[in-house]
C-alpha cells in the first residue's frame, strides 16, 4: 500500500533502515480483501544480532541519559503519533481489519502511554532514604535493566508496543522490537515517525521482522538481552520462560485471557448490555480483555439474553474502511476457531440466540457474524478456551458463590467484569476473583494511568501506571559509609 509512512519496508538497526541479510521478504495481507498489501523484510539471525549490538552500544550506564532527555523522546513520540493519527490508523485498519475509527482511537490510546511516562518519569529519579541504618547514607538508583527484546501481537499493533516502549525508553533501555507477522506495517510507520521526527541516539530502538522462531531464539539466547517483554499467547509465553531460564533473564509476560462477565439479578441490564457490546466486539472480539464467558443470574438471564440478541442482530460486519461495527477476523485460523467454538457449543446443546448457524456460512471470507449462544456448559470449547472472535456464550448461575466459582474456573486471570447495584457484594466478588483487572459496572479495559496485567497463566508483571514504569529498571542501593 502507498503511504508516506511506508517508504521503507525494511528493518531498522542502529538508526538506519536495513534490508534482511538474505534479501527474503514475507507478505502482509488486508484481511478484509485478501489482497497482499506489502512485502516486508524477513530478517536473519545475523540481522537480529546486529540489532542487539546496536542496542548495546546505545546503552549508557556510567553516564546515563538524563530524565529530561528521556522525557523529550517520549514527548516526541507522543506528538508524532497524535499528529499522524489518521495515517497510522489507516495503515492499522488495512492490515488488521478493525474499523477505521477504532484504529485511530488505538493510535490515541498508544500516544497516551508515552504521555503518561513523560509526565511521571520523575518517579524514576534516585532518592536518599530519610533513615540512616548502619551509620550509612542510603541512596536508591533505578538503573536501566539493559537491552530489551519487545515482542508484540497483532491484535493491537500500536497499543501493545506503546505500553512496552514507553516504559523501556523512560528507563533508558534500548530495545529490539519484533511485531507480529500479520501486522508489521503499523510498526514500520511508528519507526518512520521516530526516524524522521524524534531525536534519539542510534540503536535506542531497533526493528526486526520475520520468522518468530529465528528472532525469538536469538533474543532468548543472546547474553546482552537482559529482559524480554512479551505480549501474546500463553503457549509462547511458556516457551519463552523455558528458553530464558538458563540465563535467568527478566520476563514480563502479558498473556491470554478467558474473561468472565458476571451480571447479577440487581444489575442495570441495559447498562450491562451496552457495556458488554463495547467490550466484547472491540477488535471484532479479538482482544485479551474481551468477555469470553457471560454469566447471568437465572432470574434475569432471559430478559438479558433478549436485549442482547436484539442489539447483536443489528450489528454490521464488513471492511473496516467502511462504516461498520466489526471488521474481518485476522486470518483463516482465527475464523476457523470461532466457527469451531460455535459449532461445538450448538452440537453439545447450546441455543443460538443471535447470528447465523455455522452450516449457513460459506467460509469464503474472514467476516464472521456476531453470534450469541446460551446454555453453555463446562464441556464446551468456548467455556475453556479463549475464542478470540465475535461469539458471546451465556451461562446462568443461581448464587454469588456459584458465580465466583465459575468465574475463577479457568487457568487464566487477566480481566473480569461484574455488574451489580450492591457495593458490598461488588467488593466481595472483586476480591474473590483471581483476575488482574476487575471492572465493576463497566466493561472498560486498560488505560495508561493504571497498572494492568494478569494473574495465574495470564502473565507476570504490569504495564501502565507507576507499576509499569518500574518494569524496565532495577533498583540499585548504594549505602555510603563516610
Ligand atoms: P502469539 O502467537 O503468541 O504471537 C505473539 C507474538 O509472539 C508475535 O509477534 C509472534 O510472531 C511472536 N512469537 C510467536 N512464536 C514465538 C517464539 N517462539 N518466540 C518469540 N516470539 C514468538 O499470539 P497472537 O496470536 O499474536 O496474539 C493473541 C494472543 O495474545 C491471545 O492469547 C491474547 O489473549 C494475547 N494478548 C494478551 C494481551 C495482554 O495484555 N495480556 C494483550 C493482547 C493479546 P509471529 O507473528 O511472527 O508468529
Amino acid at each position: 500500500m502507498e503511504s508516506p509512512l511506508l517508504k521503507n519496508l525494511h528493518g531498522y538497526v542502529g538508526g538506519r533502515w536495513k534490508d534482511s541479510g538474505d534479501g527474503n521478504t514475507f507478505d502482509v495481507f488486508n484481511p478484509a480483501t485478501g489482497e497482499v498489501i506489502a512485502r516486508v523484510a524477513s530478517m536473519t539471525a545475523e540481522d537480529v544480532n546486529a540489532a542487539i549490538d546496536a542496542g548495546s552500544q546505545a546503552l549508557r550506564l556510567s553516564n546515563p541519559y538524563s530524565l529530561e532527555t528521556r522525557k523529550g523522546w517520549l514527548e516526541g513520540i507522543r506528538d508524532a503519533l497524535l499528529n499522524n493519527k489518521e495515517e497510522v490508523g489507516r495503515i492499522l485498519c488495512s492490515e488488521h481489519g478493525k474499523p477505521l475509527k477504532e484504529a485511530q482511537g488505538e493510535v490515541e490510546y498508544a500516544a497516551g502511554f508515552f504521555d503518561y511516562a513523560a509526565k511521571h518519569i520523575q518517579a524514576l529519579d534516585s532518592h536518599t532514604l530519610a533513615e540512616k541504618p548502619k551509620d550509612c547514607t542510603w541512596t536508591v538508583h533505578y538503573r536501566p535493566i539493559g537491552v530489551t527484546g519487545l515482542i508484540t501481537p497483532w491484535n493491537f499493533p500500536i497499543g501493545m508496543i506503546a505500553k512496552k516502549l514507553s516504559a523501556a525508553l523512560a528507563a533508558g533501555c534500548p530495545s529490539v522490537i519484533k511485531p507480529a507477522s500479520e501486522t508489521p506495517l503499523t510498526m514500520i510507520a511508528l519507526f518512520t515517525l521516530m526516524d524522521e521526527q524524534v531525536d534519539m541516539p542510534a540503536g535506542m530502538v531497533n526493528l526486526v521482522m520475520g520468522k518468530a522462531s529465528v528472532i525469538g531464539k536469538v533474543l532468548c539466547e543472546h547474553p546482552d538481552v537482559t529482559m524480554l517483554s512479551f505480549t501474546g499467547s500463553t503457549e509462547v509465553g511458556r516457551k519463552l520462560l523455558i528458553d530464558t531460564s538458563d540465563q535467568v533473564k527478566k520476563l514480563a509476560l502479558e498473556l491470554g485471557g478467558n474473561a468472565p462477565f458476571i451480571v447479577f439479578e440487581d444489575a442495570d441490564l441495559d447498562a450491562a448490555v451496552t457495556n458488554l457490546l463495547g467490550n466484547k466486539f472491540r477488535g471484532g472480539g479479538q482482544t485479551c480483555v474481551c468477555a469470553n464467558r457471560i454469566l447471568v443470574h437465572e432470574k434475569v438471564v432471559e430478559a438479558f439474553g433478549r436485549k442482547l440478541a436484539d442489539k447483536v442482530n443489528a450489528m454490521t460486519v464488513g471492511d473496516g474502511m467502511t462504516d461498520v461495527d466489526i471488521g474481518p477476523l485476522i486470518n483463516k485460523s482465527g475464523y476457523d476457531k470461532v466457527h469451531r467454538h460455535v459449532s461445538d457449543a450448538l452440537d453439545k446443546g447450546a441455543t443460538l440466540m443471535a447470528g447465523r448457524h455455522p452450516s449457513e456460512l460459506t467460509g469464503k471470507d474472514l467476516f464472521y457474524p456476531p453470534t450469541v449462544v446460551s446454555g453453555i456448559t463446562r464441556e464446551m470449547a468456548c467455556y475453556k478456551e479463549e475464542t478470540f472472535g465475535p461469539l458471546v456464550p451465556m451461562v446462568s448461575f443461581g448464587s454469588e458463590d456459584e458465580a465466583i466459582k465459575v468465574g475463577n474456573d479457568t487457568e487464566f486471570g487477566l480481566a473480569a467484569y461484574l455488574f451489580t447495584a450492591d457495593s458490598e457484594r461488588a467488593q466481595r466478588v472483586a476480591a474473590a476473583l483471581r483476575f488482574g483487572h476487575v471492572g465493576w459496572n463497566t466493561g472498560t479495559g486498560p488505560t495508561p494511568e493504571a497498572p494492568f496485567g494478569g494473574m495465574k497463566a495470564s502473565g507476570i508483571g504490569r504495564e501502565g501506571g507507576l507499576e509499569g514504569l518500574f518494569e524496565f529498571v532495577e533498583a540499585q542501593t548504594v549505602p555510603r559509609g563516610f
Side-chain angles (χ1 to χ4, degrees), residues 151-155 160 178-182 210 212 216 230-233 236 239-240 254-257 288 386 388 414 452:
I151 304 174
T152 54
W154 49 262
N155 65 342
M160 293 300 134
K178 189 226 168 288
S181 296
E182 275 91 352
F230 168 81
T231 299
S233 60
V236 174
K239 179 170 164 43
L240 296 177
E254 295 287 336
L255 308 177
C288 54
E386 194 182 23
F388 239 54
L414 194 58
F452 175 82

Side-chain angles (χ1 to χ4, degrees), residues 163-183:
K163 294 177 171 206
K164 300 179 189 309
L165 184 58
S166 56
L169 288 175
C173 292
S175 45
V176 176
I177 297 172
K178 189 226 168 288
S181 296
E182 275 91 352
T183 56

Side-chain angles (χ1 to χ4, degrees), residues 143-336:
R143 307 298 192 196
I145 191 164
V147 178
T148 63
L150 312 182
I151 304 174
T152 54
W154 49 262
N155 65 342
F156 288 97
I158 193 76
M160 293 300 134
I161 188 58
K163 294 177 171 206
K164 300 179 189 309
L165 184 58
S166 56
L169 288 175
C173 292
S175 45
V176 176
I177 297 172
K178 189 226 168 288
S181 296
E182 275 91 352
T183 56
L185 300 182
T186 308
M187 194 71 86
I188 292 176
L190 171 65
F191 269 80
T192 305
L193 290 172
M194 293 194 293
D195 179 59
E196 293 176 354
Q197 301 185 20
V198 186
D199 188 18
M200 274 190 283
M204 264 326 270
V205 289
N206 302 279
L207 170 64
V208 293
M209 300 170 292
K211 286 209 176 81
S213 53
V214 172
I215 298 170
K217 187 169 185 313
V218 180
L219 291 176
C220 286
E221 291 178 359
H222 200 300
D224 286 358
V225 177
T226 41
M227 171 173 174
L228 282 186
S229 175
F230 168 81
T231 299
S233 60
T234 295
E235 185 192 349
V236 174
R238 283 196 175 105
K239 179 170 164 43
L240 296 177
L241 274 168
I242 294 165
D243 292 353
T244 55
S245 62
D246 268 6
Q247 293 182 25
V248 198
K249 287 187 199 230
K250 178 169 178 184
L251 277 194
L253 299 175
E254 295 287 336
L255 308 177
N258 182 353
F261 188 103
I262 306 171
V263 182
F264 286 96
E265 67 278 22
D266 60 351
D268 177 335
L269 294 191
D270 291 316
V273 167
T274 304
N275 275 277
L276 177 57
L277 293 173
N279 167 284
K280 176 72 221 185
F281 294 110
R282 200 156 56 106
Q286 302 170 110
T287 80
C288 54
V289 293
C290 70
N292 204 55
R293 293 166 297 146
I294 295 37
L295 284 52
V296 189
H297 192 275
E298 58 198 15
K299 283 191 186 148
V300 294
V301 68
E302 264 189 52
F304 182 84
R306 269 197 310 275
K307 285 173 189 282
L308 179 66
D310 286 349
K311 300 262 188 203
V312 169
N313 277 327
M315 292 180 88
T316 52
V317 189
D319 188 333
M321 285 292 179
T322 63
D323 186 19
V324 290
D325 296 316
I326 305 184
L329 290 167
I330 189 73
N331 54 28
K332 183 79 170 78
S333 79
Y335 182 99
D336 289 346

